[in-house]
Amino acid sequence: DIVVTQSPLSLPVTPGEPASISCRSSQSLLHRNGDTFLAWYLQKPGQSPQVLIYLASNRASGVPDRFSGSGSGTDFTLKISRVEAEDVGVYYCMQALQTPYSFGQGTKLEIK
Amino acid sequence: EVQLMESGGDLVQPGGSLRLSCAASGFTFSNFWMHWVRQAPGKGLVWVARLNQDGRVINYADSVKGRFTISRDNAKGTLFLQMSSLRVEDTALYYCAKDLSGRHDSWGQGTLVTVSS
């Protein structure tokens, strides 16, 4: 099974400042078709998760362009260029290369 | 607008059974893989199961294999999760999610399953 590890687990950020979350997988998430099956989700307080980034670097519909995903193979990063108050919540990465799909532990972003 | 509405969560004793449903609307249900994902109180997300468009390709997490059964009724636009031999550790909010190219692009609001004596 693929293990996915996130860091940090807690991320206090000042509004307007950038933020970065790391995600590492125990094996490459590159599919033979050339796609990399890594997605990022945000779960805001009291809400269901929502997808932010898919296939490692593609922004989902309606997601502000201050969110970006990068990385390849086993190392990935979610970046927020300028954090806003509405960005608070828990961020998860998830590998969808093979079952069982696996999520990272989650990174709780809070506003300083 | 895509909508997923879970139901069926309840308080059940260890060893008991429960059937969850997820009613889908706003998209052609029969065209998409569907998933169940759960979240224990205060904990992270855990993938549970998925099945393909016609219900013939199914995968489970090891923790539920042999106890849970995922299925679908494309005519009614509904996803199911039959849960048996329930354990205390199965207590969680259960979400259904629509799959699009390896991502869960739509999620329901969840239904709460509590396993306790």
Side-chain angles (χ1 to χ4, degrees):
Chain A
D1 295 359
I2 298 175
V3 177
V4 177
T5 304
Q6 283 180 238
S7 63
L9 300 185
S10 178
L11 186 57
V13 185
T14 301
E17 293 296 305
S20 179
I21 301 170
S22 173
C23 178
R24 288 189 169 178
S25 58
S26 59
Q27 63 188 74
S28 175
L29 301 183
L30 177 64
H31 191 274
R32 57 181 180 272
N33 70 1
D35 289 330
T36 297
F37 283 83
L38 187 284
W40 289 96
Y41 298 87
L42 165 59
Q43 186 173 32
K44 295 183 178 181
Q47 295 186 16
S48 302
Q50 59 188 91
V51 63
L52 298 173
I53 302 290
Y54 64 96
L55 299 179
S57 61
N58 295 273
R59 203 176 303 114
S61 176
V63 174
D65 61 8
R66 63 179 182 275
F67 290 92
S68 64
S70 63
S72 62
T74 61
D75 290 299
F76 304 92
T77 302
L78 176 71
K79 292 183 179 178
I80 309 172
S81 58
R82 294 174 305 280
V83 170
E84 298 186 5
E86 65 180 23
D87 300 335
V88 298
V90 181
Y91 290 78
Y92 297 92
C93 58
M94 183 197 81
Q95 70 80 16
L97 179 68
Q98 65 186 50
T99 59
Y101 287 7
S102 42
F103 291 89
Q105 313 94 303
T107 296
K108 186 172 185 179
L109 186 147
E110 62 177 27
I111 298 296
K112 281 184 182 177
Chain B
E1 178 193 3
V2 172
Q3 288 197 342
L4 298 170
M5 184 75 68
E6 301 94 337
S7 61
D10 204 347
L11 170 63
V12 61
Q13 292 189 338
S17 299
L18 210 54
R19 190 194 199 200
L20 306 183
S21 299
C22 169
S25 61
F27 66 102
T28 305
F29 180 73
S30 58
N31 286 354
F32 295 91
W33 287 74
M34 296 294 296
H35 299 248
W36 287 99
V37 176
R38 69 184 182 184
Q39 186 171 36
K43 301 297 185 182
L45 301 169
V46 177
W47 178 83
V48 173
R50 71 169 186 176
L51 83 171
N52 76 331
Q53 291 88 336
D54 63 10
R56 296 184 182 185
V57 180
I58 291 174
N59 302 102
Y60 296 100
D62 285 348
S63 58
V64 307
K65 201 174 295 183
R67 300 187 301 122
F68 291 10
T69 301
I70 188 173
S71 63
R72 65 193 298 162
D73 183 335
N74 284 339
K76 296 183 178 179
T78 305
L79 178 72
F80 301 101
L81 187 67
Q82 179 68 47
M83 313 164 69
S84 61
S85 303
L86 282 161
R87 306 167 180 168
V88 171
E89 55 265 34
D90 295 319
T91 294
L93 188 63
Y94 284 74
Y95 296 101
C96 65
K98 171 178 165 284
D99 185 289
L100 182 61
S101 299
R103 65 194 183 273
H104 303 326
D105 70 329
S106 298
W107 298 65
Q109 85 292 342
T111 186
L112 183 62
V113 173
T114 304
V115 185
S116 175
S117 55

